[in-house]
Amino acid sequence: MFDMAIHNTEDANVDVEATYKALREQITRFSGGSGPGCGAATFGHMMGGYDAGYYGYLWAKSFSADMYATRFTKDGITNARTGMDYRREILCPGGSIDASVGLERFLGRAPSSAAFLESIGVANSQ
């Protein structure tokens, strides 16, 4: 929410510290400031140019949850064929192919966020 609030403006005129304090109180329900200094600066990912890249972690979690639910839970965590498929389609190509290609090959379909959403309590199991 913070990154969207400071980066999603018409004219880039935003009071970063006031926005940080307001959102901190709204989200954590703790009133008062974040202490001396600029609280927003303590979140290095937002202030150091890595803001949008931070969401790459969530995509990785989404894909891993999908792989685990689709193949490893279904086939068994120690299933040799599943392990070799993972090695061949995900690990071996490295950066030589687009990651989505290997992911689709491993899953046998396009990826889904359902397993990830269920793992964080946003969706119910079906």
Side-chain angles (χ1 to χ4, degrees), residues 9-44:
T9 64
E10 297 268 332
D11 60 5
N13 184 14
V14 61
D15 184 336
V16 173
E17 187 59 16
T19 302
Y20 178 84
K21 286 181 181 181
L23 284 170
R24 181 181 176 274
E25 288 184 16
Q26 176 187 346
I27 294 167
T28 66
R29 303 286 192 228
F30 292 118
S31 61
S34 58
C38 180
T42 64
F43 193 5

mmCIF file of all heavy atoms in Angstrom, residues 9-44:
data_model
loop_
_atom_site.group_PDB
_atom_site.id
_atom_site.type_symbol
_atom_site.label_atom_id
_atom_site.label_comp_id
_atom_site.label_asym_id
_atom_site.label_seq_id
_atom_site.Cartn_x
_atom_site.Cartn_y
_atom_site.Cartn_z
ATOM 1 N N THR A 9 0.983 8.965 -8.117
ATOM 2 C CA THR A 9 0.465 10.332 -8.011
ATOM 3 C C THR A 9 0.486 10.993 -9.376
ATOM 4 O O THR A 9 1.222 10.594 -10.272
ATOM 5 C CB THR A 9 1.311 11.172 -7.040
ATOM 6 O OG1 THR A 9 2.630 11.296 -7.567
ATOM 7 C CG2 THR A 9 1.354 10.543 -5.657
ATOM 8 N N GLU A 10 -0.334 12.035 -9.518
ATOM 9 C CA GLU A 10 -0.402 12.772 -10.787
ATOM 10 C C GLU A 10 0.855 13.607 -11.011
ATOM 11 O O GLU A 10 1.356 13.702 -12.117
ATOM 12 C CB GLU A 10 -1.631 13.693 -10.782
ATOM 13 C CG GLU A 10 -2.940 12.940 -10.689
ATOM 14 C CD GLU A 10 -3.521 12.626 -12.041
ATOM 15 O OE1 GLU A 10 -3.255 13.382 -12.990
ATOM 16 O OE2 GLU A 10 -4.223 11.611 -12.147
ATOM 17 N N ASP A 11 1.352 14.241 -9.945
ATOM 18 C CA ASP A 11 2.448 15.195 -10.108
ATOM 19 C C ASP A 11 3.682 14.882 -9.267
ATOM 20 O O ASP A 11 4.586 15.692 -9.176
ATOM 21 C CB ASP A 11 1.962 16.601 -9.774
ATOM 22 C CG ASP A 11 1.455 16.714 -8.341
ATOM 23 O OD1 ASP A 11 1.558 15.732 -7.575
ATOM 24 O OD2 ASP A 11 0.951 17.795 -7.981
ATOM 25 N N ALA A 12 3.720 13.710 -8.652
ATOM 26 C CA ALA A 12 4.836 13.281 -7.804
ATOM 27 C C ALA A 12 5.008 14.154 -6.575
ATOM 28 O O ALA A 12 6.034 14.114 -5.915
ATOM 29 C CB ALA A 12 6.144 13.209 -8.601
ATOM 30 N N ASN A 13 4.000 14.931 -6.236
ATOM 31 C CA ASN A 13 4.038 15.779 -5.054
ATOM 32 C C ASN A 13 3.355 15.019 -3.913
ATOM 33 O O ASN A 13 2.139 15.020 -3.805
ATOM 34 C CB ASN A 13 3.336 17.110 -5.326
ATOM 35 C CG ASN A 13 3.453 18.061 -4.148
ATOM 36 O OD1 ASN A 13 4.261 17.853 -3.247
ATOM 37 N ND2 ASN A 13 2.645 19.106 -4.165
ATOM 38 N N VAL A 14 4.158 14.359 -3.092
ATOM 39 C CA VAL A 14 3.617 13.551 -2.006
ATOM 40 C C VAL A 14 4.489 13.736 -0.767
ATOM 41 O O VAL A 14 5.711 13.802 -0.863
ATOM 42 C CB VAL A 14 3.519 12.060 -2.422
ATOM 43 C CG1 VAL A 14 4.880 11.502 -2.756
ATOM 44 C CG2 VAL A 14 2.847 11.233 -1.368
ATOM 45 N N ASP A 15 3.857 13.845 0.374
ATOM 46 C CA ASP A 15 4.583 13.920 1.633
ATOM 47 C C ASP A 15 4.835 12.479 2.081
ATOM 48 O O ASP A 15 3.949 11.828 2.654
ATOM 49 C CB ASP A 15 3.769 14.687 2.676
ATOM 50 C CG ASP A 15 4.503 14.887 3.986
ATOM 51 O OD1 ASP A 15 5.423 14.083 4.289
ATOM 52 O OD2 ASP A 15 4.149 15.826 4.713
ATOM 53 N N VAL A 16 6.013 11.977 1.797
ATOM 54 C CA VAL A 16 6.344 10.576 2.035
ATOM 55 C C VAL A 16 6.202 10.212 3.504
ATOM 56 O O VAL A 16 5.620 9.180 3.849
ATOM 57 C CB VAL A 16 7.770 10.253 1.513
ATOM 58 C CG1 VAL A 16 8.199 8.848 1.906
ATOM 59 C CG2 VAL A 16 7.829 10.434 0.009
ATOM 60 N N GLU A 17 6.722 11.038 4.387
ATOM 61 C CA GLU A 17 6.674 10.704 5.812
ATOM 62 C C GLU A 17 5.248 10.735 6.352
ATOM 63 O O GLU A 17 4.853 9.854 7.112
ATOM 64 C CB GLU A 17 7.578 11.638 6.615
ATOM 65 C CG GLU A 17 7.717 11.249 8.075
ATOM 66 C CD GLU A 17 8.284 9.842 8.314
ATOM 67 O OE1 GLU A 17 8.862 9.237 7.399
ATOM 68 O OE2 GLU A 17 8.133 9.333 9.443
ATOM 69 N N ALA A 18 4.458 11.716 5.944
ATOM 70 C CA ALA A 18 3.059 11.778 6.404
ATOM 71 C C ALA A 18 2.276 10.573 5.886
ATOM 72 O O ALA A 18 1.463 9.988 6.611
ATOM 73 C CB ALA A 18 2.415 13.077 5.943
ATOM 74 N N THR A 19 2.538 10.189 4.655
ATOM 75 C CA THR A 19 1.868 9.028 4.072
ATOM 76 C C THR A 19 2.259 7.761 4.819
ATOM 77 O O THR A 19 1.415 6.927 5.151
ATOM 78 C CB THR A 19 2.228 8.897 2.576
ATOM 79 O OG1 THR A 19 1.853 10.103 1.909
ATOM 80 C CG2 THR A 19 1.529 7.721 1.934
ATOM 81 N N TYR A 20 3.550 7.623 5.112
ATOM 82 C CA TYR A 20 4.033 6.455 5.842
ATOM 83 C C TYR A 20 3.366 6.374 7.225
ATOM 84 O O TYR A 20 2.867 5.319 7.626
ATOM 85 C CB TYR A 20 5.553 6.516 5.993
ATOM 86 C CG TYR A 20 6.131 5.368 6.781
ATOM 87 C CD1 TYR A 20 6.421 4.159 6.166
ATOM 88 C CD2 TYR A 20 6.389 5.487 8.150
ATOM 89 C CE1 TYR A 20 6.946 3.101 6.876
ATOM 90 C CE2 TYR A 20 6.918 4.425 8.866
ATOM 91 C CZ TYR A 20 7.187 3.243 8.228
ATOM 92 O OH TYR A 20 7.698 2.192 8.939
ATOM 93 N N LYS A 21 3.354 7.483 7.941
ATOM 94 C CA LYS A 21 2.776 7.482 9.295
ATOM 95 C C LYS A 21 1.288 7.161 9.266
ATOM 96 O O LYS A 21 0.797 6.387 10.088
ATOM 97 C CB LYS A 21 3.033 8.821 9.976
ATOM 98 C CG LYS A 21 4.471 8.987 10.423
ATOM 99 C CD LYS A 21 4.698 10.311 11.122
ATOM 100 C CE LYS A 21 6.159 10.444 11.540
ATOM 101 N NZ LYS A 21 6.427 11.697 12.231
ATOM 102 N N ALA A 22 0.555 7.744 8.297
ATOM 103 C CA ALA A 22 -0.886 7.502 8.210
ATOM 104 C C ALA A 22 -1.179 6.034 7.902
ATOM 105 O O ALA A 22 -2.047 5.411 8.533
ATOM 106 C CB ALA A 22 -1.503 8.406 7.147
ATOM 107 N N LEU A 23 -0.451 5.464 6.957
ATOM 108 C CA LEU A 23 -0.664 4.060 6.611
ATOM 109 C C LEU A 23 -0.225 3.136 7.739
ATOM 110 O O LEU A 23 -0.876 2.125 8.009
ATOM 111 C CB LEU A 23 0.082 3.708 5.323
ATOM 112 C CG LEU A 23 -0.562 4.220 4.044
ATOM 113 C CD1 LEU A 23 0.365 4.026 2.858
ATOM 114 C CD2 LEU A 23 -1.898 3.548 3.792
ATOM 115 N N ARG A 24 0.855 3.486 8.415
ATOM 116 C CA ARG A 24 1.322 2.675 9.544
ATOM 117 C C ARG A 24 0.249 2.596 10.619
ATOM 118 O O ARG A 24 -0.042 1.519 11.147
ATOM 119 C CB ARG A 24 2.607 3.257 10.124
ATOM 120 C CG ARG A 24 3.171 2.461 11.288
ATOM 121 C CD ARG A 24 4.449 3.119 11.819
ATOM 122 N NE ARG A 24 4.937 2.428 12.970
ATOM 123 C CZ ARG A 24 4.522 2.662 14.227
ATOM 124 N NH1 ARG A 24 3.639 3.588 14.466
ATOM 125 N NH2 ARG A 24 5.022 1.972 15.231
ATOM 126 N N GLU A 25 -0.359 3.717 10.922
ATOM 127 C CA GLU A 25 -1.425 3.722 11.934
ATOM 128 C C GLU A 25 -2.644 2.947 11.458
ATOM 129 O O GLU A 25 -3.250 2.199 12.224
ATOM 130 C CB GLU A 25 -1.792 5.156 12.303
ATOM 131 C CG GLU A 25 -0.730 5.842 13.131
ATOM 132 C CD GLU A 25 -1.123 7.242 13.578
ATOM 133 O OE1 GLU A 25 -2.319 7.590 13.515
ATOM 134 O OE2 GLU A 25 -0.219 7.991 13.999
ATOM 135 N N GLN A 26 -2.997 3.114 10.197
ATOM 136 C CA GLN A 26 -4.162 2.426 9.644
ATOM 137 C C GLN A 26 -3.963 0.914 9.630
ATOM 138 O O GLN A 26 -4.862 0.158 9.992
ATOM 139 C CB GLN A 26 -4.426 2.929 8.224
ATOM 140 C CG GLN A 26 -5.559 2.234 7.507
ATOM 141 C CD GLN A 26 -5.648 2.661 6.040
ATOM 142 O OE1 GLN A 26 -5.053 3.631 5.624
ATOM 143 N NE2 GLN A 26 -6.396 1.903 5.277
ATOM 144 N N ILE A 27 -2.788 0.462 9.253
ATOM 145 C CA ILE A 27 -2.524 -0.968 9.094
ATOM 146 C C ILE A 27 -2.211 -1.648 10.415
ATOM 147 O O ILE A 27 -2.739 -2.718 10.723
ATOM 148 C CB ILE A 27 -1.385 -1.187 8.077
ATOM 149 C CG1 ILE A 27 -1.847 -0.725 6.694
ATOM 150 C CG2 ILE A 27 -0.948 -2.646 8.049
ATOM 151 C CD1 ILE A 27 -0.730 -0.591 5.683
ATOM 152 N N THR A 28 -1.355 -1.042 11.227
ATOM 153 C CA THR A 28 -0.924 -1.697 12.464
ATOM 154 C C THR A 28 -1.805 -1.369 13.659
ATOM 155 O O THR A 28 -1.730 -2.036 14.680
ATOM 156 C CB THR A 28 0.522 -1.294 12.833
ATOM 157 O OG1 THR A 28 0.555 0.103 13.155
ATOM 158 C CG2 THR A 28 1.481 -1.620 11.708
ATOM 159 N N ARG A 29 -2.600 -0.320 13.524
ATOM 160 C CA ARG A 29 -3.466 0.169 14.611
ATOM 161 C C ARG A 29 -2.666 0.751 15.776
ATOM 162 O O ARG A 29 -3.170 0.894 16.870
ATOM 163 C CB ARG A 29 -4.405 -0.920 15.124
ATOM 164 C CG ARG A 29 -5.287 -1.536 14.072
ATOM 165 C CD ARG A 29 -6.381 -0.579 13.686
ATOM 166 N NE ARG A 29 -7.375 -1.269 12.889
ATOM 167 C CZ ARG A 29 -7.838 -0.796 11.755
ATOM 168 N NH1 ARG A 29 -7.421 0.359 11.310
ATOM 169 N NH2 ARG A 29 -8.734 -1.468 11.086
ATOM 170 N N PHE A 30 -1.386 1.050 15.539
ATOM 171 C CA PHE A 30 -0.563 1.725 16.533
ATOM 172 C C PHE A 30 -0.575 3.210 16.231
ATOM 173 O O PHE A 30 -0.212 3.626 15.124
ATOM 174 C CB PHE A 30 0.888 1.224 16.525
ATOM 175 C CG PHE A 30 1.047 -0.182 17.002
ATOM 176 C CD1 PHE A 30 1.556 -1.150 16.164
ATOM 177 C CD2 PHE A 30 0.683 -0.542 18.291
ATOM 178 C CE1 PHE A 30 1.707 -2.458 16.594
ATOM 179 C CE2 PHE A 30 0.825 -1.845 18.733
ATOM 180 C CZ PHE A 30 1.333 -2.806 17.883
ATOM 181 N N SER A 31 -0.975 4.002 17.209
ATOM 182 C CA SER A 31 -0.990 5.440 16.977
ATOM 183 C C SER A 31 0.378 6.031 17.298
ATOM 184 O O SER A 31 1.200 5.412 17.963
ATOM 185 C CB SER A 31 -2.065 6.110 17.846
ATOM 186 O OG SER A 31 -1.782 5.898 19.213
ATOM 187 N N GLY A 32 0.604 7.199 16.787
ATOM 188 C CA GLY A 32 1.876 7.871 17.033
ATOM 189 C C GLY A 32 2.850 7.624 15.900
ATOM 190 O O GLY A 32 2.614 6.820 14.999
ATOM 191 N N GLY A 33 3.934 8.319 15.963
ATOM 192 C CA GLY A 33 4.953 8.220 14.914
ATOM 193 C C GLY A 33 5.753 6.952 15.007
ATOM 194 O O GLY A 33 5.567 6.133 15.901
ATOM 195 N N SER A 34 6.646 6.813 14.087
ATOM 196 C CA SER A 34 7.494 5.627 14.051
ATOM 197 C C SER A 34 8.800 5.871 14.785
ATOM 198 O O SER A 34 9.742 5.123 14.641
ATOM 199 C CB SER A 34 7.760 5.240 12.597
ATOM 200 O OG SER A 34 8.366 6.308 11.909
ATOM 201 N N GLY A 35 8.860 6.940 15.566
ATOM 202 C CA GLY A 35 10.073 7.264 16.298
ATOM 203 C C GLY A 35 10.831 8.368 15.595
ATOM 204 O O GLY A 35 10.370 8.925 14.603
ATOM 205 N N PRO A 36 12.000 8.667 16.099
ATOM 206 C CA PRO A 36 12.774 9.737 15.465
ATOM 207 C C PRO A 36 13.262 9.306 14.077
ATOM 208 O O PRO A 36 13.463 8.126 13.819
ATOM 209 C CB PRO A 36 13.961 9.926 16.415
ATOM 210 C CG PRO A 36 14.062 8.649 17.170
ATOM 211 C CD PRO A 36 12.672 8.086 17.251
ATOM 212 N N GLY A 37 13.407 10.252 13.212
ATOM 213 C CA GLY A 37 13.878 9.965 11.862
ATOM 214 C C GLY A 37 12.728 9.731 10.905
ATOM 215 O O GLY A 37 11.564 9.896 11.243
ATOM 216 N N CYS A 38 13.070 9.329 9.729
ATOM 217 C CA CYS A 38 12.093 9.092 8.669
ATOM 218 C C CYS A 38 11.770 7.604 8.613
ATOM 219 O O CYS A 38 12.570 6.807 8.132
ATOM 220 C CB CYS A 38 12.655 9.586 7.334
ATOM 221 S SG CYS A 38 11.543 9.352 5.950
ATOM 222 N N GLY A 39 10.600 7.240 9.107
ATOM 223 C CA GLY A 39 10.207 5.837 9.147
ATOM 224 C C GLY A 39 10.203 5.187 7.780
ATOM 225 O O GLY A 39 10.551 4.014 7.629
ATOM 226 N N ALA A 40 9.808 5.949 6.762
ATOM 227 C CA ALA A 40 9.759 5.399 5.412
ATOM 228 C C ALA A 40 11.138 4.945 4.947
ATOM 229 O O ALA A 40 11.256 3.983 4.189
ATOM 230 C CB ALA A 40 9.192 6.436 4.447
ATOM 231 N N ALA A 41 12.168 5.607 5.402
ATOM 232 C CA ALA A 41 13.528 5.268 4.980
ATOM 233 C C ALA A 41 13.998 3.943 5.573
ATOM 234 O O ALA A 41 14.984 3.376 5.107
ATOM 235 C CB ALA A 41 14.494 6.377 5.367
ATOM 236 N N THR A 42 13.297 3.428 6.568
ATOM 237 C CA THR A 42 13.687 2.149 7.153
ATOM 238 C C THR A 42 13.291 0.978 6.274
ATOM 239 O O THR A 42 13.738 -0.135 6.490
ATOM 240 C CB THR A 42 13.062 1.952 8.552
ATOM 241 O OG1 THR A 42 11.636 1.889 8.431
ATOM 242 C CG2 THR A 42 13.449 3.079 9.489
ATOM 243 N N PHE A 43 12.420 1.231 5.318
ATOM 244 C CA PHE A 43 12.020 0.197 4.372
ATOM 245 C C PHE A 43 12.866 0.376 3.121
ATOM 246 O O PHE A 43 12.480 0.997 2.153
ATOM 247 C CB PHE A 43 10.536 0.321 4.055
ATOM 248 C CG PHE A 43 9.936 -0.865 3.341
ATOM 249 C CD1 PHE A 43 10.664 -2.018 3.094
ATOM 250 C CD2 PHE A 43 8.625 -0.829 2.918
ATOM 251 C CE1 PHE A 43 10.110 -3.105 2.437
ATOM 252 C CE2 PHE A 43 8.061 -1.912 2.258
ATOM 253 C CZ PHE A 43 8.797 -3.044 2.021
ATOM 254 N N GLY A 44 14.068 -0.161 3.166
ATOM 255 C CA GLY A 44 15.058 0.055 2.119
ATOM 256 C C GLY A 44 14.602 -0.325 0.725
ATOM 257 O O GLY A 44 15.016 0.285 -0.256
#
